[in-house]
Amino acid sequence: MERTFAMIKPDGVRRGLTPEILKRLQHKGYRIVGLKQMTIARETAESHYGEHKERPFFGELVDFITGGPVVAIALEGENAIAGWRAMMGATNPANAAPGTIRADFATTTGENVTHGSDSSDSAARELALFFKDGELLA
Ligand code: DAT
Ligand code: MG
């Protein structure tokens, strides 16, 4: 069993995609062990995306992710880290395989609907950033 951090980004929430995305991950068989709609504080966003802080798009990325409510999700399941990344598809929707979330619901890299941790270290770090002890199911 693995846990990972998933997020429906502000574009996904704004466009009413929350039920569709929750449906997909539940139908896949993942268990939702934490779920909340929230607005991300700027310092939380800068920490979450810290690996990108030298990239030219960092400012826009932080503006975007703090610009409206997101849905933060803690997912549990076998191979959940790679499995959720596979369901999302490639970062650039133009490269995402048909049937993936980013291929089906996005056209630009900057607004690509969902986030998923990319490793077990990232998953642990991001889950701790977004959820307090006691907010996650045992
Ligand atoms: P992923 O979200 O697939 O893990 P990432 O970690 O490389 O991708 O980048 C984080 C987010 O930053 C990504 O979902 C969208 C944005 N981003 C990445 N590369 C970008 C680029 N070249 N231009 C604009 N935004 C970009
Ligand atoms: Mg990433």
Side-chain angles (χ1 to χ4, degrees), residues 18-73:
T18 298
E20 170 68 25
I21 291 163
L22 293 179
K23 184 197 77 177
R24 285 185 181 214
L25 59 86
Q26 289 198 292
H27 284 186
K28 168 73 174 173
Y30 297 137
R31 177 175 177 240
I32 295 173
V33 295
L35 180 69
K36 60 182 171 186
Q37 184 162 290
M38 61 183 286
T39 303
I40 304 180
R42 197 158 187 96
E43 63 179 346
T44 305
E46 288 172 351
S47 171
H48 173 66
Y49 281 128
E51 65 173 311
H52 299 305
K53 68 172 177 292
E54 307 302 336
R55 309 280 289 276
F57 58 82
F58 184 69
E60 267 177 51
L61 176 60
V62 171
D63 287 346
F64 165 65
I65 209 74
T66 59
V70 304
V71 176
I73 309 161

Side-chain angles (χ1 to χ4, degrees):
M1 274 306 170
E2 244 174 28
R3 286 187 172 191
T4 192
F5 177 65
M7 188 204 297
I8 306 172
K9 297 184 182 181
D11 57 327
V13 173
R14 191 181 306 124
R15 292 167 59 209
L17 294 172
T18 298
E20 170 68 25
I21 291 163
L22 293 179
K23 184 197 77 177
R24 285 185 181 214
L25 59 86
Q26 289 198 292
H27 284 186
K28 168 73 174 173
Y30 297 137
R31 177 175 177 240
I32 295 173
V33 295
L35 180 69
K36 60 182 171 186
Q37 184 162 290
M38 61 183 286
T39 303
I40 304 180
R42 197 158 187 96
E43 63 179 346
T44 305
E46 288 172 351
S47 171
H48 173 66
Y49 281 128
E51 65 173 311
H52 299 305
K53 68 172 177 292
E54 307 302 336
R55 309 280 289 276
F57 58 82
F58 184 69
E60 267 177 51
L61 176 60
V62 171
D63 287 346
F64 165 65
I65 209 74
T66 59
V70 304
V71 176
I73 309 161
L75 280 189
E76 184 180 85
E78 199 167 330
N79 197 33
I81 297 171
W84 172 239
R85 296 274 303 181
M87 288 179 70
M88 294 199 305
T91 305
N92 181 345
N95 301 329
T100 61
I101 289 166
R102 285 162 167 177
D104 290 355
F105 301 117
T107 57
T108 68
T109 301
E111 301 199 3
N112 58 11
V113 184
T114 50
H115 168 81
S117 308
D118 63 7
S119 67
S120 55
D121 283 354
S122 302
R125 188 179 69 80
E126 294 170 3
L127 286 168
L129 186 61
F130 284 92
F131 291 99
K132 297 186 185 80
D133 288 347
E135 283 186 320
L136 300 184
L137 300 182

